[in-house]
Coordinates of all heavy atoms in Angstrom, one line a residue:
Q23 N 100.6 37.4 -153.0 CA 101.2 36.2 -152.4 C 100.3 35.0 -152.8 O 99.8 34.3 -151.9 CB 101.3 36.4 -150.9 CG 102.0 37.6 -150.4 CD 103.5 37.5 -150.6 OE1 104.0 36.4 -150.7 NE2 104.2 38.6 -150.6
F24 N 100.2 34.7 -154.1 CA 99.6 33.6 -154.6 C 98.0 33.5 -154.4 O 97.4 32.5 -154.5 CB 100.2 32.3 -154.1 CG 101.7 32.2 -154.4 CD1 102.6 32.6 -153.5 CD2 102.1 31.7 -155.7 CE1 104.0 32.5 -153.8 CE2 103.4 31.7 -156.0 CZ 104.4 32.1 -155.0
Y25 N 97.5 34.7 -154.1 CA 96.0 34.8 -154.1 C 95.5 35.3 -155.4 O 94.5 34.8 -156.0 CB 95.5 35.7 -153.0 CG 95.8 35.2 -151.6 CD1 96.9 35.7 -150.9 CD2 95.1 34.1 -151.0 CE1 97.2 35.2 -149.6 CE2 95.4 33.6 -149.8 CZ 96.5 34.2 -149.1 OH 96.8 33.7 -147.8
L26 N 96.1 36.3 -155.9 CA 95.7 37.0 -157.2 C 96.4 36.4 -158.4 O 97.7 36.5 -158.4 CB 96.0 38.5 -157.1 CG 95.7 39.3 -158.4 CD1 94.2 39.3 -158.7 CD2 96.2 40.8 -158.2
P27 N 95.7 35.7 -159.3 CA 96.4 35.1 -160.4 C 96.9 36.2 -161.4 O 96.4 37.2 -161.5 CB 95.3 34.3 -161.1 CG 94.2 34.2 -160.1 CD 94.3 35.5 -159.3
I28 N 98.0 35.8 -162.1 CA 98.6 36.7 -163.2 C 98.8 38.1 -162.7 O 98.4 39.1 -163.4 CB 97.7 36.6 -164.5 CG1 97.0 35.3 -164.7 CG2 98.5 36.9 -165.7 CD1 96.1 35.2 -165.9
Q29 N 99.3 38.2 -161.5 CA 99.4 39.5 -160.9 C 100.5 40.4 -161.4 O 100.5 41.6 -161.2 CB 99.7 39.3 -159.3 CG 101.1 39.0 -158.9 CD 101.4 37.5 -159.1 OE1 100.7 36.8 -159.8 NE2 102.5 37.1 -158.6
D30 N 101.4 39.8 -162.3 CA 102.5 40.7 -162.9 C 102.1 41.1 -164.3 O 102.9 41.8 -164.9 CB 103.8 39.9 -162.8 CG 103.7 38.6 -163.5 OD1 102.6 38.1 -163.8 OD2 104.8 38.0 -163.7
T31 N 101.0 40.7 -164.8 CA 100.6 41.0 -166.2 C 99.2 41.6 -166.2 O 99.0 42.8 -166.2 CB 100.7 39.8 -167.1 OG1 100.0 38.7 -166.6 CG2 102.2 39.5 -167.3
D32 N 98.2 40.7 -166.3 CA 96.8 41.1 -166.5 C 96.2 41.8 -165.4 O 95.2 42.5 -165.5 CB 95.9 39.9 -166.9 CG 96.4 39.3 -168.2 OD1 97.2 39.9 -168.9 OD2 95.9 38.1 -168.5
F33 N 96.7 41.6 -164.1 CA 96.1 42.2 -163.0 C 97.1 43.0 -162.1 O 97.0 43.2 -160.9 CB 95.5 41.2 -162.1 CG 94.2 40.6 -162.6 CD1 94.2 39.5 -163.5 CD2 93.0 41.2 -162.3 CE1 93.0 39.0 -164.0 CE2 91.8 40.7 -162.8 CZ 91.8 39.6 -163.7
I34 N 98.1 43.6 -162.8 CA 99.1 44.3 -162.1 C 98.6 45.6 -161.5 O 99.1 46.1 -160.4 CB 100.3 44.6 -163.0 CG1 101.6 45.0 -162.2 CG2 100.0 45.7 -164.1 CD1 102.8 45.1 -162.9
F35 N 97.6 46.2 -162.1 CA 97.0 47.4 -161.5 C 96.4 47.1 -160.1 O 96.4 48.0 -159.2 CB 96.0 48.1 -162.4 CG 95.3 49.3 -161.8 CD1 95.9 50.5 -161.7 CD2 94.0 49.2 -161.2 CE1 95.4 51.6 -161.1 CE2 93.4 50.3 -160.6 CZ 94.1 51.5 -160.5
A36 N 95.8 45.9 -159.9 CA 95.2 45.6 -158.6 C 96.3 45.6 -157.5 O 96.1 46.0 -156.4 CB 94.6 44.2 -158.7
V37 N 97.5 45.1 -157.9 CA 98.6 45.1 -156.9 C 99.0 46.6 -156.6 O 99.3 47.0 -155.5 CB 99.8 44.3 -157.4 CG1 101.0 44.4 -156.4 CG2 99.4 42.9 -157.7
F38 N 99.1 47.4 -157.7 CA 99.4 48.8 -157.5 C 98.4 49.5 -156.6 O 98.8 50.3 -155.7 CB 99.4 49.5 -158.9 CG 99.7 51.0 -158.9 CD1 101.0 51.5 -158.9 CD2 98.6 51.9 -158.8 CE1 101.2 52.8 -158.8 CE2 98.9 53.3 -158.8 CZ 100.2 53.7 -158.8
A39 N 97.1 49.2 -156.9 CA 96.0 49.9 -156.0 C 96.1 49.4 -154.6 O 95.8 50.2 -153.7 CB 94.7 49.5 -156.6
E40 N 96.5 48.2 -154.3 CA 96.6 47.7 -153.0 C 97.8 48.3 -152.3 O 97.7 48.7 -151.1 CB 96.7 46.2 -152.9 CG 96.8 45.6 -151.5 CD 96.9 44.1 -151.5 OE1 97.0 43.5 -152.6 OE2 96.9 43.5 -150.4
E41 N 98.8 48.5 -152.9 CA 100.0 49.1 -152.3 C 100.0 50.6 -152.2 O 100.7 51.2 -151.3 CB 101.3 48.6 -153.0 CG 101.5 47.1 -153.0 CD 102.8 46.6 -153.5 OE1 103.5 47.4 -154.1 OE2 103.1 45.4 -153.3
F42 N 99.4 51.3 -153.1 CA 99.4 52.8 -153.1 C 98.0 53.4 -152.9 O 97.9 54.6 -152.8 CB 100.0 53.3 -154.4 CG 101.4 52.9 -154.6 CD1 101.8 51.8 -155.3 CD2 102.4 53.7 -153.9 CE1 103.2 51.5 -155.5 CE2 103.8 53.4 -154.1 CZ 104.1 52.3 -154.8
G43 N 97.0 52.6 -152.8 CA 95.7 53.0 -152.4 C 95.0 53.9 -153.4 O 95.4 54.0 -154.5
F44 N 93.9 54.5 -152.9 CA 93.1 55.4 -153.7 C 93.9 56.6 -154.2 O 93.8 57.0 -155.4 CB 91.9 55.9 -152.9 CG 91.0 56.9 -153.6 CD1 90.1 56.5 -154.6 CD2 91.1 58.3 -153.4 CE1 89.3 57.4 -155.3 CE2 90.3 59.2 -154.1 CZ 89.4 58.7 -155.0
V45 N 94.7 57.2 -153.4 CA 95.5 58.4 -153.7 C 96.5 58.0 -154.8 O 96.6 58.7 -155.8 CB 96.3 58.9 -152.5 CG1 97.2 60.0 -152.9 CG2 95.3 59.4 -151.5
G46 N 97.2 56.9 -154.7 CA 98.1 56.5 -155.7 C 97.5 56.2 -157.0 O 98.0 56.5 -158.1
S47 N 96.3 55.6 -157.0 CA 95.5 55.3 -158.2 C 95.1 56.5 -158.9 O 95.1 56.6 -160.1 CB 94.3 54.4 -157.8 OG 94.7 53.2 -157.2
M48 N 94.7 57.5 -158.1 CA 94.3 58.8 -158.7 C 95.5 59.5 -159.4 O 95.3 60.2 -160.4 CB 93.7 59.7 -157.6 CG 92.3 59.3 -157.2 SD 91.0 59.3 -158.5 CE 91.0 57.5 -158.8
V49 N 96.7 59.4 -158.8 CA 97.9 60.0 -159.3 C 98.2 59.3 -160.7 O 98.5 60.0 -161.7 CB 99.1 59.9 -158.4 CG1 100.4 60.3 -159.1 CG2 98.8 60.7 -157.1
L50 N 98.0 58.0 -160.7 CA 98.3 57.3 -162.0 C 97.2 57.7 -163.1 O 97.6 57.9 -164.2 CB 98.2 55.8 -161.8 CG 98.4 54.9 -163.0 CD1 99.8 55.2 -163.6 CD2 98.2 53.4 -162.7
L51 N 96.0 57.9 -162.7 CA 94.9 58.3 -163.6 C 95.2 59.7 -164.1 O 95.0 60.1 -165.2 CB 93.6 58.2 -163.0 CG 93.0 56.8 -162.8 CD1 91.7 56.8 -162.0 CD2 92.8 56.1 -164.1
L52 N 95.8 60.6 -163.2 CA 96.1 61.9 -163.6 C 97.3 61.9 -164.6 O 97.2 62.7 -165.5 CB 96.6 62.7 -162.3 CG 97.0 64.2 -162.5 CD1 95.9 65.0 -163.1 CD2 97.5 64.8 -161.2
L53 N 98.2 61.0 -164.4 CA 99.3 60.9 -165.4 C 98.8 60.5 -166.8 O 99.2 61.0 -167.8 CB 100.3 59.8 -164.9 CG 101.6 59.6 -165.7 CD1 102.8 59.3 -164.8 CD2 101.4 58.5 -166.8
L54 N 97.8 59.6 -166.8 CA 97.2 59.2 -168.0 C 96.4 60.3 -168.6 O 96.4 60.5 -169.9 CB 96.2 58.0 -167.8 CG 96.9 56.6 -167.4 CD1 95.8 55.6 -167.1 CD2 97.8 56.1 -168.5
A55 N 95.7 61.1 -167.8 CA 95.0 62.3 -168.3 C 95.9 63.3 -168.9 O 95.6 63.9 -170.0 CB 94.2 62.9 -167.2
L56 N 97.1 63.5 -168.3 CA 98.0 64.5 -168.8 C 98.6 64.0 -170.1 O 98.8 64.7 -171.1 CB 99.2 64.7 -167.8 CG 98.9 65.5 -166.6 CD1 100.1 65.4 -165.6 CD2 98.6 66.9 -166.9
Y57 N 98.9 62.7 -170.2 CA 99.4 62.1 -171.4 C 98.3 62.2 -172.6 O 98.7 62.6 -173.7 CB 99.7 60.6 -171.2 CG 100.6 60.0 -172.3 CD1 101.9 60.0 -172.2 CD2 100.0 59.4 -173.4 CE1 102.8 59.4 -173.2 CE2 100.8 58.8 -174.4 CZ 102.2 58.8 -174.3 OH 102.9 58.3 -175.2
A58 N 97.1 61.9 -172.2 CA 96.0 62.0 -173.2 C 95.9 63.5 -173.7 O 95.7 63.7 -174.9 CB 94.7 61.5 -172.6

């Protein structure tokens, strides 16, 4: 809400982490690990 600049591009992961927390972030990292 206009605190975090460029929140839809360069800092979109910060919004993701705020809305889905540590667990959601770990799930995303797991997806990246599977892809790798």
Side-chain angles (χ1 to χ4, degrees):
Q23 305 288 339
F24 301 95
Y25 295 103
L26 177 64
I28 327 178
Q29 78 280 14
D30 55 349
T31 53
D32 297 349
F33 285 90
I34 195 169
F35 176 77
V37 179
F38 178 87
E40 184 179 2
E41 294 189 353
F42 294 97
F44 177 80
V45 174
S47 300
M48 288 300 102
V49 171
L50 179 60
L51 288 174
L52 178 61
L53 185 146
L54 293 175
L56 287 173
Y57 195 90

